[in-house]
Amino acid sequence: MTKLVEWLGLAGLFAGVWAYLFISTPAGSSSDFARHFVLFLPFYVLLAFAVISVSIIAWRVYTFNDCKEAAKELKQEIADAKTDLRKKGFKFD
Amino acid sequence: MHSISFLFAYVNKFESLEEFNKASVISVSNKFLSANKMGTNDKYSVLLPTYNEKDNLPIIVWLLIKSFTESGYDFEIIVIDDGSPDGTLDVAKQLQNIYGDKKIVLRPREKKLGLGTAYIHGMKHATGNFVVIMDADLSHHPKFIQQFIEKQKEKDYDLVSGTRYSGNGGVFGWDLKRKIISRGANYVTQVLLRPGASDLTGSFRLYKKKVLEKLVQSCKSKGYVFQMEMIIRARQFGFTIGEVGISFVDRVYGESKLGGNEIYQFAKGLLYLFATT
């Protein structure tokens, strides 16, 4: 089963549950709020997912390891390499 | 016997007899361990595809030789140059003269033909039972290869992937925009593909040679997506994947910005993998 098929399956499942919920909330002014809530449920779920996703990405950007020492080390090693290679007869141009 | 050890320890300025005994045990077992490393039959073939790397190639080769000499593992470096107009192949020949053709193997090609075929071409005459793939532009540091090897031995992993996104992994030389794009793309990939590896577009990896051979044959994509597809197919085939955090030093980012076209290709590739795996 490909990921696409997996997601379509899950989407179908949610659609079924949502349709059932929608049908089973009775029409009438006393349960207007419930109906509205169920109607907009997918939207709320997507909104929550978007907010959580952005937060996760922002956190990961903030805590992205910055390898300053690695860059410094590399600079030094490039100099060492050039010195050693020259000694061994390498011609840099 | 005891008094002689005590005298020896005192003369050599150890704090206590225990410390001296510990030090002796460590030095003896180190000798035993390195003898074992030399004695194993493992050999690591490092594949270096190059295009216009005449300045970086000597450095990366020097660093590879230094790190393998220190770790004691058997190795060879296979340079696959795709007809670089800047003379990279001549530089490779100079290095071959210095270090010998057993350590520096040249497998050049006429023109730029893509990464997958470069790996296949490089592996054809590789004498190692393990293959390391990495970039030749100094963004990947050879010192991590020893960590890859040790990780691989931990559970006999089929491949070990260097990751910039987890553990001690990290990046130098990226601005905020680049980091956001990188983390964002990786997040979308994780949600859609759930690959079981934290860094899919990385190209610093250790593979068992047979595993790499099988994977390269089954991957059709190019560029970033090729490396992604390798990991996804590896999961499909049931290969085991280990991870080691690496530091990625990007000295090229200023010149080669991440363009709209690359993002488009990435998105296309991601959707392709989403729909077919």
Side-chain angles (χ1 to χ4, degrees), chain B residues 145-183:
Chain B
I145 296 179
Q146 181 173 4
Q147 295 179 38
F148 286 4
I149 294 174
E150 282 159 12
K151 185 65 169 182
Q152 191 280 326
K153 288 186 189 302
E154 259 176 42
K155 295 207 173 118
D156 195 29
Y157 288 112
D158 294 310
L159 73 104
V160 176
S161 166
T163 172
R164 296 159 291 176
Y165 299 128
S166 92
N168 291 326
V171 170
F172 177 85
W174 282 1
D175 59 10
L176 187 64
K177 178 172 165 219
R178 181 74 178 88
K179 285 184 183 175
I180 292 174
I181 294 175
S182 182
R183 282 294 196 178

Side-chain angles (χ1 to χ4, degrees), chain A residues 35-52:
Chain A
R35 235 172 186 240
H36 263 109
F37 182 76
V38 172
L39 186 65
F40 285 106
L41 196 60
F43 172 73
Y44 293 136
V45 168
L46 281 170
L47 189 63
F49 174 72
V51 168
I52 291 171

